[in-house]
Amino acid sequence: MGDGGQGYFNNLILGTYKILEAAQPRVIFFENVPGFYDSTSYLDLKELLTPDFPYLIGPIDIDSFDFGSIVHRSRSYAVYLREKEDFELFRVPKAPKFRRFKLREFLDPKGTEHTWKSVKAWFESFSYKAEKNNLWADRSTEKIFVNPDTCTELQCIPRRYRSHSASNSYVLNDDGTQWRFLSVNELRRIFHILEWFEFPSHIIGNTK
């Protein structure tokens, strides 16, 4: 990227292209949200890369749920290749056979303390927002509060998971009157993060 005087930081697409040009890779693999591939930034980068990478695969949409995860995470992938041989050898990955896990299998042991909140209060807040904002009015609440013993599918867990949102999934208590967030350790199990991995203290602090 140079010393900053070349202007690459003012144009990240140009900067990205310069890095790729210098590295001279045989294959370039992109991963991003589906909407990225319709953006001007991506289309500009595609135009720059095409002369040297004439073989393009994708974008290919893949959802982690289709590959065994309990939580949805939709991403799109694109592969740029220099050589026709590599292009002809490429195969789109197919989902393996697997057993669907229930949410209960990822939860903390019984006796673990959690902060529970009122389902009624949540829906009162949701109804108020729906009256004020048409975007909220159209949102489904089917997968927001889930029963750990029957749930095999969660909505996407975004960075803003600790917010109150119809896009999130929360754990429902036995009588269906209270809910709670998934804990850090529960999210660790859902995402298959290895036990030896330690989260930085500032991340743990932001999840409480």
Side-chain angles (χ1 to χ4, degrees):
M1 300 294 283
D3 59 7
Q6 288 76 16
Y8 297 147
F9 287 100
N10 298 325
N11 188 330
L12 292 180
I13 293 303
L14 179 59
T16 300
Y17 173 70
K18 287 294 184 180
I19 291 173
L20 293 172
E21 184 181 42
Q24 288 292 301
R26 183 169 175 171
V27 176
I28 301 174
F29 181 86
F30 285 94
E31 179 269 335
N32 215 311
V33 295
F36 169 72
Y37 298 91
D38 294 323
S39 68
T40 301
S41 296
Y42 172 74
L43 295 176
D44 288 346
L45 183 57
K46 178 181 178 181
E47 184 177 350
L48 290 170
L49 292 174
T50 299
D52 293 327
F53 296 87
Y55 303 101
L56 170 62
I57 298 169
I60 302 166
D61 295 334
I62 294 180
D63 190 330
S64 60
F65 182 77
D66 297 328
F67 284 75
S69 174
I70 193 174
V71 63
H72 283 277
R73 185 175 177 82
S74 179
R75 288 294 182 269
S76 293
Y77 304 86
V79 185
Y80 286 75
L81 307 103
R82 288 184 185 272
E83 307 296 336
K84 183 178 180 180
E85 179 184 2
D86 294 333
F87 174 77
E88 292 176 340
L89 288 173
F90 185 88
R91 298 292 182 271
V92 176
K94 295 182 179 180
K97 293 182 179 180
F98 53 83
R99 177 179 71 86
R100 283 283 176 207
F101 292 93
K102 293 182 179 178
L103 179 59
R104 175 68 67 187
E105 298 176 72
F106 299 96
L107 297 188
D108 293 330
K110 288 186 177 181
T112 304
E113 292 188 6
H114 298 105
T115 300
W116 294 87
K117 302 185 179 185
S118 167
V119 171
K120 180 181 178 181
W122 191 97
F123 272 107
E124 288 175 351
S125 175
F126 177 85
S127 298
Y128 174 78
K129 291 178 180 178
E131 292 174 0
K132 300 293 183 180
N133 188 327
N134 289 334
L135 292 177
W136 278 81
D138 295 333
R139 292 191 180 188
S140 170
T141 59
E142 180 182 356
K143 297 177 183 176
I144 298 175
F145 302 107
V146 294
N147 183 325
D149 294 317
T150 59
C151 173
T152 59
E153 179 181 4
L154 298 176
Q155 300 187 94
C156 179
I157 298 176
R159 182 177 181 181
R160 64 181 188 283
Y161 175 69
R162 300 295 292 189
S163 65
H164 293 197
S165 172
S167 300
N168 295 340
S169 291
Y170 308 114
V171 182
L172 199 61
N173 71 344
D174 291 338
D175 63 12
T177 61
Q178 294 184 308
W179 66 273
R180 68 171 178 84
F181 293 107
L182 291 162
S183 72
V184 171
N185 285 329
E186 290 167 344
L187 292 173
R188 180 201 296 266
R189 298 183 197 106
I190 288 171
F191 294 137
H192 298 283
I193 298 174
L194 298 176
E195 291 294 330
W196 54 261
F197 181 84
E198 294 185 3
F199 288 97
S201 59
H202 70 280
I203 293 179
I204 298 295
N206 288 337
T207 60
K208 293 182 179 179

